[in-house]
Amino acid sequence: MTDIQLQSISLKVLVDKEKNQVIFAESDNDFVDVLFSFLTLPIGTIIRLTRSQSFIFGTGCMNNLYESVDKLDVKHLCTPVCKTMLLSPRSSAETPSRNLKVNIDDMDPIQYYICSSRCNQEYSYKKSSYKNVRCQCGEMMQKGLSIKSSNPANGEQGVFVKETTSFMISDDLHVTLMSTMTSLSLLSKLGIKARSSIEERTVNIVVLHLLMSLLSSETPLTNLVFLERVIVDQIQFDPRNMTQPIDERDAEIDKKKLRVKLMVSKSNNKVLYAEAGEDFGDLILSFLTFPLGAIVDLLGGNSPWQCVNKLYKSVEHLSVGNYIKSDECKNMLIRPKLAPYFSCDNQLLGIEEVYLPHYSEFLNPKLLNARINRGGGFLKGPKMFMITDDLVVTPLSSISAIYSFNVPLSDVEERVVTVGKKEALSLLKASLFSKSALTDAFSFNLSLKKPKQEE
């Protein structure tokens, strides 16, 4: 881990000495800003930061997706930069996050790149947010333009919450306003009657460890204060509760469907792998670019990460103006968008991309045709890909596929499914908390009949 990732932040906590348990913490805006900023981090960034601790997403398939991209030959990607975008996705809150007291995202500060040669007037000095994008003039964009960190408007401090606000944070990271009555009520609820059984402590919390605990435990503060390590609680995954209702405003999105062939074991209705084009591959790989808060939003605030849910609902309940600095800050946390150019044509889940006011000045790093500003995908087509049940993505090879079967060949059957928003949402949830993502996501229609052979 880098020195940046091991940075800590001071926190005052009240502990139950008898139970070795954190009752609650008191904090100013600095700690809460850091805590809330976790909602803006893309999944791929979290994996990159915690890669040495693979158990963070060990119950699901996200690590496999990340490793698949890492191993994928760039010839299968629309541009070489696509690999960087998936392995180190940018956050749409990257600019305000530069003002956090501790920012664990160790990517270089935002800077734009231009080509080394002097573009003619037609191209007007196009810029890219990624290095080694090919300019319209043919040169690679490698010259960096550093952007200085901006000071908050009118000298106002704080990133997401007001500087003057003080907060209480429970052990499961529910954030509320400082209140004596709330703290007394919490003590009473825990059966604490004597002051002799409690103690105030000031501790240093390693911010990266806090992020890891947030995603892997229901008592992250207690774990970090008393055990000084990340503890993994077993997250229960229920494949029977896979789908979420589609809002009326998403009806237009759900009209788009992808067609996917599944190779299935007839004896147990288990998916062995999927054969699909680059459109379905883009859908799967784009999960790495989704901010944590956007995933909770898609799941209706009811993700299997209980502490993330508490954090998310804390932001929802804090009013704008008094405590949250602005509507823009609040939406940045509970409905975070994708960073510019990270949206795919076949994303299906309707997460918006941040709009750059001057899109015409930038190049889309996913597209070789630099005259097109938006859209595109990560995988180059037309191409068929093989996606295993645990979401290992590789170019399709019939020989490799045959040798991957762990069932008799006579037990293998091809079935076809269509994927819209409901199925994509089920697949996203399964990819986070199941080792059999395809089987769990498509369990409701694996009873489809074998397709007729083409004549």
Side-chain angles (χ1 to χ4, degrees), residues 274-386:
E275 291 183 7
E278 71 278 2
D279 51 2
F280 185 70
D282 275 339
L283 170 66
I284 299 293
L285 295 183
S286 69
F287 293 168
L288 295 172
T289 71
F290 289 3
L292 194 60
I295 293 175
V296 180
D297 183 38
L298 285 170
L299 298 177
N302 189 32
S303 81
W305 297 304
Q306 294 308 312
C307 290
V308 178
N309 294 339
K310 291 288 181 67
L311 195 62
Y312 183 92
K313 290 174 182 176
S314 299
V315 180
E316 280 190 315
H317 294 155
L318 290 173
S319 63
V320 172
N322 292 325
Y323 311 113
I324 302 291
K325 291 178 64 175
S326 65
D327 287 320
E328 181 184 6
C329 288
K330 188 163 189 172
N331 287 329
M332 201 178 292
L333 297 171
I334 61 174
R335 277 178 287 277
K337 297 182 179 182
L338 301 173
Y341 300 110
F342 275 84
S343 181
C344 284
D345 294 336
N346 300 299
Q347 191 227 90
L348 296 185
L349 288 171
I351 303 178
E352 293 182 26
E353 176 186 298
V354 168
Y355 178 75
L356 288 176
H358 306 291
Y359 254 112
S360 60
E361 297 179 7
F362 294 85
L363 298 182
N364 188 335
K366 300 199 304 293
L367 298 176
L368 290 174
N369 182 358
R371 294 183 183 276
I372 301 175
N373 291 110
R374 307 184 72 176
F378 296 106
L379 295 174
K380 185 185 296 184
K383 180 78 176 180
M384 296 299 292
F385 291 86
M386 174 179 170

Side-chain angles (χ1 to χ4, degrees), residues 28-30 32-34 36 93 95-101 150-165 167 177 314-334:
D28 59 12
N29 66 294
D30 286 335
V32 172
D33 273 337
V34 170
F36 284 170
T95 298
S97 292
R98 292 203 305 270
N99 295 313
L100 291 169
K101 186 171 184 178
S150 59
N151 294 319
N154 302 320
E156 184 182 9
Q157 300 300 308
V159 179
F160 302 111
V161 298
K162 291 275 190 176
E163 178 190 14
T164 56
T165 311
F167 298 92
L177 299 176
S314 299
V315 180
E316 280 190 315
H317 294 155
L318 290 173
S319 63
V320 172
N322 292 325
Y323 311 113
I324 302 291
K325 291 178 64 175
S326 65
D327 287 320
E328 181 184 6
C329 288
K330 188 163 189 172
N331 287 329
M332 201 178 292
L333 297 171
I334 61 174

